[in-house]
Amino acid sequence: MSIGNSPEDDRPSDDRLADEIPSGDRPADDRPSIGQVLQQARVAAGLTVDEVSSSTRVRIPIVHAIEQDDFSRCGGDVYARGHIRTLARAAGVDPAPLLAQYDEGHGGHPPAPTPAAPLFEAERIRSEPRRPNWTAAMVAAIVAVIGFVGFTAFSGGDDGDGSKSVAEGSTPAPSKTAEKPKPHKPADPKPDPSDSAIAGVPRDKVTVKVDAADGRSWISAKDHSGRTLFDGVLEQGQAKTFQDKQKIALVLGDAGAIQLYVNGKQVDNEFEPGQVERLTYTKGDPEVG
């Protein structure tokens, strides 16, 4: 009687199973990389790197790095996502799939905002000086006028005897009661609230106020000579005001969190969270608003 093989001997080993699975059936991510998609879309749109950099304000070395899938020069996940969105729109492609692909490779979800440059301790922002209280000034002026008129009238009543002797006799000395009080110029009316911000800034300079109303953001501000006025992080709720005789140049790390006031006027913008913006303002800005 021969002894046959047991059923366990007929089962293929794990190594044999692995060899028998065709390589084409194994799971793989065949999607092109983010940099490849952006580069191909740019070339298809007939754009050079210089043209894309000029239209998006993303520096040329960063454009080259992103097209090589190197996001280390972006300064953090928030700004990398902002650059991807900006470059995709410039090349005419939908940024949503690229952002989702970036998130999959960097933690699976959009990261919390991080500064685009080394963090600096943001200095405490002093509260804005209070605007003049024109109503109180006008009331005080009116009270002063009433008091002056009342005092003058009261003093004139005490000189009744002197007035009578003048009518009856010799030439009198000039009486103070005969002088009419000079008309008092009324206090200037309270300016319209919408004009108060404009009146509070000098006309011979450019004044820019940066308010981190909706979140923290890294900002950089320079004057017309290129001197750095501020380079650091504004926490949510903080504000910073800059002045120069010619121009103020700004770089906003998270433009969607910032409200701008230029020469006393609020600048309407449609910046999105995480969007990096480079802006320059002069004494004549904004033209309208």
Side-chain angles (χ1 to χ4, degrees):
M1 179 177 66
S2 64
I3 300 175
N5 293 331
S6 64
E8 288 80 0
D9 296 335
D10 296 333
R11 290 180 298 179
S13 65
D14 292 340
D15 294 338
R16 290 170 57 195
L17 286 174
D19 294 337
E20 293 173 359
I21 298 177
S23 59
D25 295 337
R26 297 174 185 173
D29 188 357
D30 294 333
R31 294 178 299 177
S33 68
I34 297 172
Q36 291 173 341
V37 172
L38 292 176
Q39 184 180 44
Q40 292 172 1
R42 174 180 60 77
V43 173
L47 299 173
T48 65
V49 172
D50 290 345
E51 291 172 339
V52 170
S53 175
S54 177
S55 64
T56 62
R57 299 181 181 177
V58 178
R59 292 187 294 115
I60 291 177
I62 296 179
V63 176
H64 280 301
I66 291 176
E67 289 188 353
Q68 297 298 320
D69 295 301
D70 178 7
F71 302 100
S72 62
R73 304 191 63 172
C74 296
D77 290 339
V78 171
Y79 307 111
R81 297 176 85 256
H83 289 330
I84 292 172
R85 182 186 296 106
T86 301
L87 296 179
R89 289 176 175 173
V93 297
D94 184 7
L98 299 179
L99 294 175
Q101 185 175 351
Y102 179 85
D103 293 339
E104 291 174 5
H106 295 78
H109 57 84
T114 56
L119 291 175
F120 296 90
E121 181 65 24
E123 64 181 72
R124 293 285 182 180
I125 307 301
R126 297 182 179 179
S127 59
E128 293 286 332
R130 293 185 177 181
R131 303 292 183 185
N133 192 334
W134 295 105
T135 301
M138 183 171 61
V139 171
I142 294 174
V143 171
V145 171
I146 295 174
F148 176 78
V149 173
F151 175 78
T152 303
F154 181 77
S155 299
D158 293 342
D159 295 338
D161 295 341
S163 301
K164 182 177 180 181
S165 63
V166 170
E168 294 176 350
S170 59
T171 303
S175 175
K176 292 183 178 180
T177 58
E179 298 177 2
K180 294 183 179 180
K182 296 181 180 180
H184 185 78
K185 183 179 180 181
D188 293 335
K190 181 180 178 181
D192 187 271
S194 62
D195 297 332
S196 60
I198 300 174
V201 298
R203 294 179 178 272
D204 59 340
K205 294 181 180 180
V206 54
T207 302
V208 177
K209 177 181 177 183
V210 181
D211 188 355
D214 299 325
R216 70 197 303 264
S217 175
W218 171 82
I219 67 169
S220 173
K222 296 183 180 180
D223 62 11
H224 73 282
S225 64
R227 182 172 62 93
T228 299
L229 303 177
F230 181 80
D231 189 343
V233 175
L234 286 186
E235 298 293 340
Q236 183 173 4
Q238 291 185 332
K240 195 75 175 174
T241 301
F242 309 101
Q243 277 191 347
D244 187 66
K245 61 183 179 179
Q246 294 184 15
K247 72 176 183 178
I248 296 292
L250 296 175
V251 179
L252 306 179
D254 186 356
I258 296 299
Q259 290 184 1
L260 291 177
Y261 300 85
V262 179
N263 296 326
K265 299 180 181 179
Q266 184 173 1
V267 178
D268 294 330
N269 61 68
E270 297 180 357
F271 301 146
E272 295 183 5
Q275 185 172 351
V276 178
E277 283 293 329
R278 290 171 171 81
L279 307 168
T280 302
Y281 295 105
T282 61
K283 291 185 289 186
D285 293 326
E287 296 294 337
V288 296

